Amino acid sequence: MIHKLTLHKNFITWVIQQLEKENIPCYRTTGNDRNGDILLINPEQVPRVQEIIRWMNRQFNG
């Protein structure tokens, strides 16, 4: 369980870094937020974030 939590934490950190490289401001949520692990500052950027996540999925999950 600790291993899975560590992987998840590192993955979220990496995703936030990738979004920042794309000039998409975001923050890590805290306290087991039911809305997710990453808070986007500008909701208009959601479609671009979805594209990035899909790209990551294709790259690393085949």
Side-chain angles (χ1 to χ4, degrees):
M1 184 71 153
I2 292 172
H3 178 69
K4 285 185 177 184
L5 289 172
T6 301
L7 287 175
H8 180 76
K9 177 184 171 190
N10 292 341
F11 177 72
I12 295 303
T13 299
W14 183 77
V15 169
I16 288 172
Q17 290 170 348
Q18 298 305 308
L19 294 176
E20 288 174 348
K21 285 181 186 176
E22 296 278 334
N23 295 316
I24 299 174
C26 57
Y27 296 99
R28 178 188 299 271
T29 59
T30 60
N32 242 357
D33 192 320
R34 65 182 170 90
N35 294 316
D37 298 311
I38 299 172
L39 172 66
L40 297 175
I41 302 306
N42 185 352
E44 293 174 2
Q45 293 178 313
V46 167
R48 178 63 183 135
V49 171
Q50 289 172 334
E51 286 178 25
I52 293 168
I53 297 295
R54 284 187 201 109
W55 174 84
M56 288 180 193
N57 225 350
R58 284 192 305 270
Q59 292 291 67
F60 299 106
N61 293 323

